[in-house]
């Protein structure tokens, strides 16, 4: 791993982010507006529903944004270079795929953490929901597990983009929402039909969302759920890296990668 | 013996059942400019893409600086670069920011100094704070050339760097490339559809057609392979006598004006024709010998008349 090359990609990400209204809208504006809407819904529910369940929505949303922003950052980060016909320029420099992915993973975490802090503060200040009450250990493991899951999806989608080009680019920002109901982000997993519950428990974020909802009442750290989530994440992450490498190689074999230019 | 910078052996590439490169082999020695020419679909861009590692070949060997490309990708890419009018830099960010990103990708110790030096050399210092997408085609080409020089490459692959430029800017760009070559002794693999350009800057030309090398020589050497030239004579005197003489000599000719004749002939027959016409008592007022150009060679190959190559 060469630090200078990772720094180069991070710097490019920073320049693009600060000069792109789309990124600012998609990440900052969209996140803040959603938290405002969900915050008001939570306030309404607090007045009508007793107990912690009134906060399920806003809790689910803050944690869901970790997945969405990190995955978006990785998948769409590459598209900026595809749209600018600059991707092959990047890869004819001596950067390795590992360095490229590492840079996008770091960039995703930085963006995600920044927005997580902003929306957590908004929810605490305006909607009387302080996610930090869940405790630092809980929050750390929730964050780590959701970040690894979103890296996994982001890298897999990047492989699909490299292989099939811009014709499937909408997947970069749309496909993640498939996991929103499947991981029971906003409601207890028992709400799902049985067969969907089985799928849900095969996905690491489900354990995070379940543990987080439980922590609203009792913030005791749920080792079992976090361990299962970590093991599942490790497995899916390795599969995702293998899948990306396969798609990247196929893209170079079919000539698609060289044509990935807008 | 000159140092070999790039050596390609038996490169084969097929997309499905379509073979686009068929056992292509050539080499580039230090300081030389090699033109890669051919009609559309000949395999030029595929060759460049394989040489850059963005497309995988089915078989064949590529060596840069004596080292296998696939096993030493990072080492090789650090010492070469690429410029093309087709791929541009990141449009949303400034020229300076783009160049800084690439300077870091190539691990430059003092990127600021290098960018400023090159910007000054290519006279684009005032463009550094501008967004890349706000530049004209000519300015973008110059910025691309700067990008391709950031790592002091020993070899640059140039894929139609002057395409879409107006003749004046294209000429300036070519002059910059010529100066670069003179100043830094860089080797260049150059593709273009402009034969005058290729004749001007290339030491050697490789013609590709349907994935195969069909001719390889210096531009002069290639044009010499076409043994026919055209002789344009303007004369004063008996036109009928001239016609009879040329028919007797079995020459192919046509009158472009009443007293101007264009004769297609073997180059070595030209003195004899001029002497013969003079002996007819005609007064030759002008003689022009039109030699074959690289474009004629290209057209012969593109039209499938390349048997004698």
């Amino acid at each position: 791993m060469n630090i200078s090359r990772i720094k180069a990609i991070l710097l490019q990400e920073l320049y693009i982010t600060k000069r792109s209204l789309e990124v600012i809208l998609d990440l900052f504006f969209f996140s803040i507006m959603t938290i405002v809407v969900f915050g008001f819904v939570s306030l309404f529910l607090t007045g009508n529903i007793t107990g912690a369940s009134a906060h399920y929505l806003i809790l689910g949303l803050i944690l869901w944004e970790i997945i969405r922003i990190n995955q978006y950052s990785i998948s769409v980060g590459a598209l900026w270079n595809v749209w600018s016909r600059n991707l092959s320029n990047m890869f004819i420099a001596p950067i390795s795929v590992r360095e490229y992915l590492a840079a996008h993973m770091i960039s995703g975490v930085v963006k995600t953490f920044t927005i997580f802090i902003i929306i957590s503060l908004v929810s605490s200040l305006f909607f009387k929901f302080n996610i930090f009450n869940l405790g630092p250990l809980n929050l750390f493991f929730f964050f780590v597990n959701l970040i690894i899951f979103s890296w996994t999806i982001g890298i897999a989608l990047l492989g699909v983009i490299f292989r099939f080009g811009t014709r499937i680019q909408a997947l970069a920002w749309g496909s993640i929402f498939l996991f929103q109901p499947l991981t029971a982000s906003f409601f207890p997993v028992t709400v799902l039909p049985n067969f969907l519950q089985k799928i849900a428990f095969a996905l690491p974020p489900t354990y995070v969302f379940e543990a987080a909802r439980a922590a609203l009442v009792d913030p005791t750290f749920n080792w079992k759920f976090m361990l299962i989530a970590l093991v599942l994440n490790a497995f899916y992450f390795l599969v995702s890296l293998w899948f990306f490498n396969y798609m990247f190689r196929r893209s170079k074999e079919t000539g698609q990668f060289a044509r990935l230019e807008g | 013996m000159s140092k070999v910078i790039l050596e390609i052996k038996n490169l084969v590439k097929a997309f499905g059942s379509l073979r686009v490169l068929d056992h292509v082999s050539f080499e580039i020695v230090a300081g030389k400019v090699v033109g890669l020419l051919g009609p559309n679909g000949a395999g030029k861009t595929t060759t460049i893409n394989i040489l850059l590692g963005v497309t995988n070949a089915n078989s064949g060997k590529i060596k840069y600086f004596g080292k296998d490309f696939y096993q030493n990708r990072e080492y090789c890419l650090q010492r070469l670069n690429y410029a093309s009018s087709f791929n541009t830099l990141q449009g949303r960010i400034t020229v300076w920011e783009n160049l800084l990103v690439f300077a870091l990708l190539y691990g430059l110790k003092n990127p600021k100094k290098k960018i400023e030096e090159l910007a000054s050399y290519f006279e684009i210092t005032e463009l550094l704070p501008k967004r890349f997408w706000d530049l004209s085609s000519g300015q973008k080409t110059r910025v691309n050339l700067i990008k391709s020089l950031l790592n002091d490459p020993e070899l640059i692959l140039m894929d139609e760097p002057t395409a879409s430029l107006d003749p004046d800017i294209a000429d300036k760009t070519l002059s910059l490339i010529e100066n670069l070559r003179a100043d830094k002794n860089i080797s260049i693999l150059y593709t273009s559809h402009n034969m005058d350009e290729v004749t001007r800057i290339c030491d050697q030309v490789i013609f590709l057609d349907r994935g195969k090398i069909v001719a390889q020589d210096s531009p002069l050497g290639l044009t010499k392979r076409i043994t026919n030239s055209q002789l344009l004579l303007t004369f004063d005197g008996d036109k009928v006598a001239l016609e009879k003489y040329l028919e007797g000599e079995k020459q192919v000719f046509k009158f472009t004006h009443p007293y101007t004749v264009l004769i297609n002939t073997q180059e070595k027959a030209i003195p004899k024709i001029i002497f013969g016409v003079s002996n007819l008592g005609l007064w030759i007022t002008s003689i022009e010998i039109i030699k074959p150009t690289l474009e004629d060679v290209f057209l012969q190959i593109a039209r499938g008349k390349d048997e004698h190559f």
Side-chain angles (χ1 to χ4, degrees):
Chain A
M1 289 271 190
N2 180 301
I3 300 299
S4 174
R5 296 198 280 258
I6 292 176
K7 192 176 152 193
I9 303 290
L10 288 173
L11 199 61
Q12 192 199 43
E13 277 282 287
L14 176 70
Y15 291 146
I16 292 173
T17 302
K18 78 176 184 185
R19 292 183 189 281
S20 301
L21 185 61
E22 298 96 322
V23 178
I24 293 165
L25 283 175
D26 280 351
L27 297 183
F28 294 88
F29 180 77
F30 186 78
S31 291
I32 292 169
M33 288 317 293
T34 317
I35 208 77
V36 167
V37 172
F38 275 55
F40 282 120
V41 174
S42 281
L43 278 183
F44 165 73
L45 291 176
T46 312
N48 293 279
I49 300 173
T50 53
S53 54
H55 290 126
Y56 282 5
L57 277 180
I58 196 158
L59 169 72
L61 184 80
I62 293 172
L63 295 177
W64 175 256
E65 285 298 275
I66 296 173
I67 297 177
R68 186 185 74 85
I69 293 158
N70 195 35
Q71 179 272 320
Y72 175 100
S73 177
I74 291 176
S75 305
V76 179
L79 280 173
W80 288 111
N81 281 311
V82 174
W83 292 326
S84 273
R85 297 181 174 193
N86 189 40
L87 193 69
S88 12
N89 265 331
M90 311 288 289
F91 275 93
I92 58 159
I95 190 166
S96 69
V97 171
R98 278 192 308 170
E99 289 159 352
Y100 184 79
L101 290 181
H104 278 289
M105 285 158 71
I106 294 168
S107 163
V109 171
V110 172
K111 284 181 202 162
T112 306
F113 187 73
T114 308
I115 295 169
F116 173 75
I117 294 294
I118 293 171
I119 60 177
S120 297
L121 288 174
V122 169
S123 102
S124 173
L125 289 173
F126 300 105
F127 303 110
K128 298 172 188 167
F129 177 75
N130 187 356
I131 197 165
F132 298 103
N133 288 342
L134 299 180
L137 191 62
N138 268 328
L139 272 183
F140 176 76
F141 276 89
F142 294 165
F143 192 84
V144 166
N145 268 311
L146 296 177
I147 285 288
I148 299 173
F149 180 74
S150 42
W151 279 342
T152 300
I153 304 298
I155 290 168
L157 282 173
L158 201 57
V160 177
I161 291 166
F162 278 18
R163 172 69 184 85
F164 297 107
T166 48
R167 64 197 140 132
I168 51 87
Q169 63 188 17
L171 291 180
W173 51 84
S175 59
I176 193 69
F177 289 97
L178 176 71
F179 294 97
Q180 208 169 46
L182 287 177
T183 56
S185 321
F186 301 118
F187 44 79
V189 75
T190 49
V191 171
L192 291 170
N194 272 343
F195 77 100
L196 283 183
Q197 282 186 38
K198 283 176 186 156
I199 295 172
F201 280 118
L203 298 169
T206 307
Y207 295 91
V208 172
F209 290 121
E210 285 288 285
R213 281 187 288 267
L216 283 175
V217 181
D218 174 14
T220 307
F221 184 66
N222 188 334
W223 282 106
K224 187 185 165 195
F225 271 23
M226 288 306 100
L227 200 63
I228 294 172
L230 275 175
V231 170
L232 284 174
N233 263 327
F235 171 72
Y236 289 130
F237 185 68
L238 290 175
V239 171
S240 168
L241 288 178
W242 172 84
F243 178 75
F244 175 83
N245 277 326
Y246 171 75
M247 294 303 249
F248 191 36
R249 198 185 71 235
R250 284 292 298 144
S251 178
K252 293 213 270 186
E253 283 168 1
T254 58
Q256 174 66 41
F257 187 68
R259 291 194 296 270
L260 268 182
E261 300 183 82
Chain B
M1 194 176 158
S2 301
K3 184 180 162 194
V4 176
I5 298 287
L6 167 64
E7 188 183 359
I8 299 168
K9 273 191 182 162
N10 288 320
L11 209 58
V12 174
K13 179 65 190 171
F15 294 117
S17 59
L18 179 68
R19 185 170 276 208
V20 289
L21 291 180
D22 192 358
H23 295 92
V24 168
S25 303
F26 64 89
E27 60 180 40
I28 299 178
V29 296
K32 296 291 178 190
V33 180
V34 175
L36 195 58
L37 301 187
N40 290 332
K44 305 182 297 290
T45 301
T46 303
T47 305
I48 296 263
N49 287 338
I50 291 172
L51 291 178
L52 292 168
V54 293
T55 297
N56 288 348
N58 293 87
S59 61
K61 288 199 167 180
I62 300 168
K63 276 187 179 177
Y64 284 108
F65 321 106
K67 293 197 174 192
D68 183 84
F69 179 44
Y70 298 115
Q71 286 168 15
N72 303 275
R73 179 185 171 275
E74 197 177 308
Y75 170 86
C76 297
L77 291 178
Q78 185 64 46
R79 295 172 65 177
L80 62 92
N81 214 314
Y82 171 64
S84 165
S85 56
F86 302 122
N87 63 328
T88 61
L89 303 184
Q90 178 56 248
R92 288 173 178 257
I93 66 179
T94 67
V95 172
W96 169 266
E97 289 165 345
N98 266 302
L99 294 174
L100 185 59
V101 166
F102 279 97
L104 291 173
L105 282 175
Y106 285 102
L108 262 65
K109 295 276 181 275
N110 191 346
K112 188 171 179 280
K113 186 171 170 241
K114 187 74 182 177
I115 294 168
E116 282 170 355
E117 265 175 25
L118 287 169
S120 165
Y121 184 89
F122 283 92
E123 299 170 11
I124 61 133
T125 304
E126 75 286 358
L127 301 178
L128 291 175
K130 284 195 173 181
R131 283 193 196 211
F132 186 77
W133 65 17
D134 289 333
L135 306 185
S136 69
S137 299
Q139 290 168 335
K140 283 178 181 170
T141 299
R142 277 191 279 174
V143 174
N144 257 312
L145 283 172
I146 291 179
K147 185 238 94 181
S148 73
L149 290 167
L150 281 171
N151 57 328
D152 288 323
E154 291 158 71
L155 170 69
I156 305 182
L157 310 182
M158 291 185 172
D159 193 9
E160 301 191 38
T162 58
S164 78
L165 297 182
D166 68 51
D168 178 43
I169 299 293
D171 180 64
K172 282 181 182 164
T173 306
L174 279 180
S175 298
L176 286 171
I177 294 170
E178 285 175 318
N179 293 343
L180 268 179
R181 184 193 170 189
D183 295 349
K184 299 176 191 282
N185 196 37
I186 294 172
S187 310
I188 298 173
L189 179 63
Y190 193 95
T191 77
S192 175
H193 283 297
N194 187 319
M195 298 302 130
D196 291 338
E197 237 174 55
V198 172
T199 308
R200 176 172 158 184
I201 69 162
C202 292
D203 300 299
Q204 197 191 14
V205 175
I206 295 167
F207 269 103
L208 274 177
D209 188 31
R210 282 159 283 179
K212 288 185 178 176
I213 293 181
V214 291
Q216 185 171 357
D217 205 336
S218 65
L220 185 63
L222 281 170
T223 52
K224 276 188 173 172
R225 294 186 192 194
I226 298 182
T227 50
N228 274 13
S229 285
Q230 290 182 314
L231 175 63
L232 189 68
L233 288 180
T234 309
F235 61 94
D236 196 3
D238 188 353
K239 183 181 168 184
V240 177
L242 177 61
E243 266 182 296
K244 277 188 178 168
Y245 168 73
L246 291 173
E247 279 165 3
E249 292 292 320
K250 295 190 169 65
Q251 296 294 337
V252 178
F253 65 94
K254 68 174 177 182
F255 286 89
T256 56
H257 293 286
Y259 292 97
T260 303
V261 63
L262 181 68
I263 308 159
N264 263 316
T265 186
Q266 295 270 304
E267 202 172 334
K268 61 185 177 190
I270 289 174
K272 187 186 167 199
I273 294 170
I274 295 172
F275 190 68
V277 172
S278 301
N279 282 347
L280 293 173
L282 301 178
W283 183 25
I284 300 173
T285 56
S286 150
I287 300 172
E288 189 182 346
I289 298 168
I290 305 165
K291 292 194 162 222
T293 63
L294 207 54
E295 185 146 359
D296 298 317
V297 181
F298 180 88
L299 289 174
Q300 279 210 1
I301 291 170
R303 290 169 185 172
K305 295 173 187 168
D306 51 333
E307 302 83 19
H308 55 286
F309 287 100

